[in-house]
Amino acid sequence: MEKTISLIRERIRDGNARVVTAEEMPAIVAELGEEGALREVDVVTTGTFGAMCSSGAFLNFGHADPPIKMEKIWLNDVEAYGGIAAVDAYIGATQKSATREESYGGAHVIEDFIAGKTVELRALSTGTDCYPRRTITTELLLENLNQAIMLNPRNGYQRYNAASNSTDRSLRTYMGLLLPNCGNITYSGSGLLNPLANDPHFRMIGGGVPAFLGGAPGMVVGEGTQHSPAGGFGTLMVTADMKQMSNDYIRAATMAGYGVTLYMGLGIPIPILDIEAVRATAIRDEDIIVDVIDYGIPTRSRPSLRKVSYAELKSGVVDLNGEEVRTSSLSSFRKAREIAGVVKSWVEQGILTPVQPARPIDPLKSAMPLRETTRGPRVLDIMDRKVIAIREDEEIRAAAQKLLKGETNHLPVINTAGKLVGIVTTYDISKAVVSPGKASLVRDIMKKKVITTTPEEAVDVAVRKLEQYNISALPVVDGEKRVIGMLTAMNLGKLFGRWLK
Amino acid sequence: MKLVVTFSRKAGKKPIIAQVVRDTGVLINVERALIDSSEGEALIDIPDESCALVKERLADLGAAVRVLEDIISLDESRCVDCGACISICPQEVFSFDDDWRLRMDEKKCVLCGRCIEICPHRALSHKGEG
Ligand code: SF4
Ligand code: SF4
């Protein structure tokens, strides 16, 4: 049996349609079977509420008198993109305030507009014959704008990997605070309620399909940026009128140490036309599997610690190498559920009416990494190749003598096999001299935990280590833990001379 | 019941809390301590019925004592029930109820401040605390 969109629309019009949320669907299919569910259910609604950085809005301010071609634009000190015509701008959610940094940004401007607060517009121009004015400052309410059209380049990720951190330091990321030694796992997404999880082959979700966005009826535009459904990471570009939005479903947020983001509510109704749609919307949290990614490794392809289902993530604890690790969602399942409920009543009331996609989305694409035609500096480009090291069984005095020659403040300590086992600094030696105890050998006073870098590592990553650990030198080691160079603040000085010309 | 104990160490490096335990026989659970060479502050947990006794003895030893109430507070209008605070709290103060609404067990809080810093929606703060 198959159903048509017009049949479903007719049932909605007549008030006979059966609309259910994606959370209710697994039980319905279990009870009625797939055929039975197909007969019974007309529309399945979805919802998600979480941080969606890739969001923003086009604003039109109207013309001033005398008119100005706004080239540089700030809203409450947050820069908006002004390179579009004279009085249009795009305010991006993650743009930071020029004065308030992390605590205020584009997302807050959007939130303040929707909350009915005044926002200060400031703009500059070089002035032209047709637009003579050079500056303007004015206070605006959302109702004073001609248009405020939210257009989010990438929302509604099909799924998103969970995050943990194997290093011995806390990491502050866009996935929240990640405690050291895999002390927690964070994840984002509503699992079985997620729109694209319920239509992974993009059969019913596509351009022109109605959607709930931030509390307003809106629409899917088409595929989102970085759309990568081949690997299960499809995305959507979505739009709606900001003037109809509500702060219940759109909230500015700050991820400590990362920056500003926007929590967006998104929900899409999926018409049930055939058995495949029934199967897709019967998805359970148990069926949605993601990787737990180790954010401690600062490369593009970070390693996975294990695979995990949404059911496990939502249970609150996940087993990681025999340890029970607590989980945190970053998105709100309660809100996601509420949104799926609103979408349900909107479908019943005819506010969102299911249609066939006017512009289908490619279900097989995969996103490419950035093509980099110039390579940033690596540690081997600037490291000091002359290594002065000391053996762990030498006397402290020998270390002091080496340091006294003044070429370095850090001595890597090696064992008889030539492998790095520790580090001593001028400070460690002074301390040993001031309070002489039993220590007489280098090994007694050295720091055994050495933060190191490798010749191939990007300098930016090594610099981040220096900052994070508040140290001023990193031994550069090869695969055998032999010290082949040193990277110090001095080398970095050289770098700025050479690379940043 | 939780008490914040502030003491100066100038007078000599007496182990104040250990001494109170010995003198009163009350078991004191030190939940947080910040001590440098001149000053110290500790957050201690004691059975409610021993409160008066412990407070008195601490005061005798020259420490300032105040009772800690309502230490962490949630602004429900800001909270979206995201759960970011759940896994980072060392005391497991937060959890979800059956409706995925954030639930708090404030009594377990030791005021480390971590959740206040990381809540993406600035929904958490100290209440009645400077
Ligand atoms: S992190 Fe903040 S917004 Fe999220 S659940 Fe906790 S208190 Fe609420
Ligand atoms: S202040 Fe610390 S102990 Fe108290 S609730 Fe927040 S994270 Fe938990």
Side-chain angles (χ1 to χ4, degrees):
Chain A
M1 178 192 141
E2 291 204 355
K3 294 196 292 200
T4 60
I5 280 271
S6 43
L7 171 73
I8 288 173
R9 293 169 69 117
E10 201 180 293
R11 286 191 183 171
I12 292 171
R13 220 171 21 242
D14 298 343
N16 301 326
R18 175 90 194 270
V19 186
V20 304
T21 72
E23 208 182 350
E24 299 169 281
M25 195 58 177
I28 294 174
V29 175
E31 191 196 324
L32 304 178
E34 288 176 344
E35 284 289 344
L38 175 58
R39 262 192 305 276
E40 171 77 14
V41 176
D42 298 305
V43 181
V44 171
T45 67
T46 60
T48 181
F49 184 84
M52 304 194 194
C53 287
S54 184
S55 298
F58 285 101
L59 311 174
N60 179 281
F61 304 115
H63 282 289
D65 188 21
I68 177 171
K69 177 165 160 264
M70 301 178 189
E71 283 160 10
K72 281 275 194 185
I73 300 172
W74 293 267
L75 293 160
N76 282 352
D77 279 344
V78 180
E79 186 162 13
Y81 180 69
I84 5 175
V87 293
D88 287 311
Y90 185 81
I91 178 81
T94 61
Q95 184 73 42
K96 281 190 246 181
S97 150
T99 46
R100 283 192 275 170
E101 290 286 317
E102 261 201 6
S103 63
Y104 195 90
H108 297 86
V109 172
I110 291 169
E111 183 182 64
D112 282 349
F113 265 134
I114 293 171
K117 295 189 185 157
T118 49
V119 170
E120 185 199 65
L121 164 71
R122 212 155 42 81
L124 298 178
S125 170
T126 47
T128 68
D129 287 346
C130 43
Y131 292 109
R133 190 160 178 176
R134 286 162 189 264
T135 65
I136 191 164
T137 304
T138 183
E139 306 237 300
L140 295 173
L141 291 169
L142 185 56
E143 65 194 49
N144 303 134
L145 307 186
N146 288 315
Q147 281 79 25
I149 303 169
M150 179 156 281
L151 180 70
N152 301 342
R154 180 169 66 258
N155 278 183
Y157 253 109
Q158 189 168 357
R159 59 200 172 96
Y160 210 85
N161 283 324
S164 195
N165 163 26
S166 68
T167 69
D168 58 2
R169 311 212 104 208
S170 289
L171 292 177
R172 305 194 306 162
T173 72
Y174 64 85
M175 290 299 284
L177 180 67
L178 299 175
L179 301 177
N181 307 313
C182 296
N184 67 340
I185 293 175
T186 64
Y187 67 99
S188 183
S190 59
L192 84 173
L193 273 176
N194 176 302
L196 291 183
N198 283 276
D199 185 21
H201 304 298
F202 296 85
R203 298 172 69 245
M204 293 317 299
I205 297 180
V209 162
F212 167 108
L213 188 66
M219 183 182 84
V220 176
V221 175
E223 71 176 40
T225 54
Q226 236 165 282
H227 176 60
S228 203
F233 294 94
T235 72
L236 296 173
M237 187 178 290
V238 289
T239 185
D241 182 1
M242 227 170 92
K243 294 192 179 194
Q244 295 179 52
M245 292 187 182
S246 142
N247 288 117
D248 287 342
Y249 304 109
I250 179 167
R251 291 284 181 90
T254 301
M255 290 295 175
Y258 167 74
V260 172
T261 184
L262 188 63
Y263 271 60
M264 283 299 313
L266 171 70
I268 301 176
I270 300 172
I272 302 301
L273 303 184
D274 54 20
I275 289 290
E276 209 180 321
V278 170
R279 267 179 217 149
T281 50
I283 192 164
R284 302 163 308 159
D285 283 333
E286 289 83 341
D287 309 321
I288 304 175
I289 311 290
V290 293
D291 286 298
V292 180
I293 297 293
D294 184 358
Y295 277 66
I297 315 288
T299 54
R300 182 172 57 217
S301 35
R302 300 183 170 101
S304 168
L305 296 166
R306 65 160 283 193
K307 293 211 177 284
V308 66
S309 76
Y310 259 79
E312 288 171 278
L313 288 169
K314 282 185 179 172
S315 78
V317 276
V318 164
D319 180 283
L320 204 61
N321 306 321
E323 301 265 337
E324 290 215 322
V325 180
R326 283 195 297 149
T327 63
S328 265
S329 72
L330 302 170
S331 53
S332 168
F333 192 72
R334 186 179 69 75
K335 286 264 184 198
R337 194 184 251 173
E338 192 180 314
I339 289 165
V342 173
V343 174
K344 181 168 156 173
S345 71
W346 281 10
V347 170
E348 286 162 350
Q349 293 164 44
I351 300 173
L352 296 179
T353 311
V355 297
Q356 289 277 8
R359 195 168 154 237
I361 292 176
D362 183 346
L364 300 170
K365 242 186 188 169
S366 54
M368 297 174 290
L370 176 67
R371 171 169 180 248
E372 294 180 72
T373 53
T374 54
R375 182 144 60 160
R378 287 172 303 165
V379 167
L380 69 95
D381 296 325
I382 59 161
M383 70 185 188
D384 214 333
R385 286 163 198 273
K386 207 173 93 213
V387 182
I388 306 168
I390 190 150
R391 286 232 317 261
E392 57 175 337
D393 52 4
E394 287 187 71
E395 302 230 331
I396 293 174
R397 193 174 336 127
Q401 273 159 2
K402 285 198 169 174
L403 284 169
L404 251 186
K405 289 204 184 122
E407 287 166 43
T408 172
N409 297 320
H410 296 78
L411 281 181
V413 182
I414 53 178
N415 62 14
T416 40
K419 294 188 192 236
L420 180 72
V421 292
I423 193 161
V424 287
T425 61
T426 324
Y427 175 70
D428 298 325
I429 300 214
S430 320
K431 227 171 41 185
V433 171
V434 172
S435 45
K438 291 177 283 245
S440 67
L441 298 183
V442 169
R443 95 159 56 91
D444 303 325
I445 62 160
M446 70 185 187
K447 281 196 199 70
K448 295 202 181 68
K449 234 195 90 216
V450 195
I451 313 299
T452 61
T453 178
T454 62
E456 294 299 321
E457 191 158 70
V459 169
D460 287 344
V461 174
V463 168
R464 193 83 204 151
K465 283 186 187 168
L466 291 173
E467 283 170 0
Q468 268 180 353
Y469 292 89
N470 197 16
I471 49 180
S472 55
L474 288 172
V476 186
V477 295
D478 64 11
E480 247 90 75
K481 287 204 87 180
R482 275 190 305 257
V483 185
I484 57 169
M486 289 293 282
L487 185 76
T488 65
M490 225 138 69
N491 307 132
L492 292 168
K494 253 189 347 205
L495 168 81
F496 292 121
R498 187 147 33 118
W499 289 84
L500 299 180
K501 258 183 205 143
Chain B
M1 173 164 298
K2 291 189 163 85
L3 301 177
V4 179
V5 186
T6 332
F7 43 90
S8 150
R9 304 188 81 210
K10 289 221 180 71
K13 296 187 177 178
K14 286 178 293 185
I16 286 193
I17 290 171
Q19 198 165 336
V20 175
V21 173
R22 202 192 56 199
D23 295 354
T24 61
V26 177
L27 287 179
I28 294 180
N29 188 14
V30 179
E31 296 200 324
R32 196 164 65 91
L34 238 165
I35 299 171
D36 64 23
S37 55
S38 64
E39 239 182 16
E41 189 183 87
L43 178 65
I44 61 172
D45 195 10
I46 50 170
D48 286 359
E49 64 276 11
S50 320
C51 180
L53 182 65
V54 170
K55 260 167 77 178
E56 192 180 320
R57 190 66 197 120
L58 279 165
D60 287 350
L61 291 166
V65 186
R66 76 198 144 94
V67 178
L68 203 61
E69 291 165 47
D70 270 329
I71 34 193
I72 197 90
S73 119
L74 177 73
D75 179 346
E76 290 193 5
S77 69
R78 303 195 69 111
C79 176
V80 300
D81 303 296
C82 69
C85 49
I86 293 178
S87 72
I88 58 91
C89 168
Q91 294 296 107
E92 309 197 6
V93 166
F94 306 100
S95 57
F96 280 131
D97 69 10
D98 291 342
D99 287 325
W100 294 91
R101 200 176 279 279
L102 190 72
R103 189 167 55 187
M104 286 170 70
D105 188 354
E106 297 94 332
K107 289 192 301 299
K108 292 200 272 182
C109 174
V110 296
L111 210 59
C112 73
R114 206 190 263 171
C115 62
I116 298 172
E117 195 205 328
I118 69 94
C119 169
H121 300 272
R122 283 191 219 116
L124 293 161
S125 58
H126 291 176
K127 194 165 75 189
E129 285 294 313

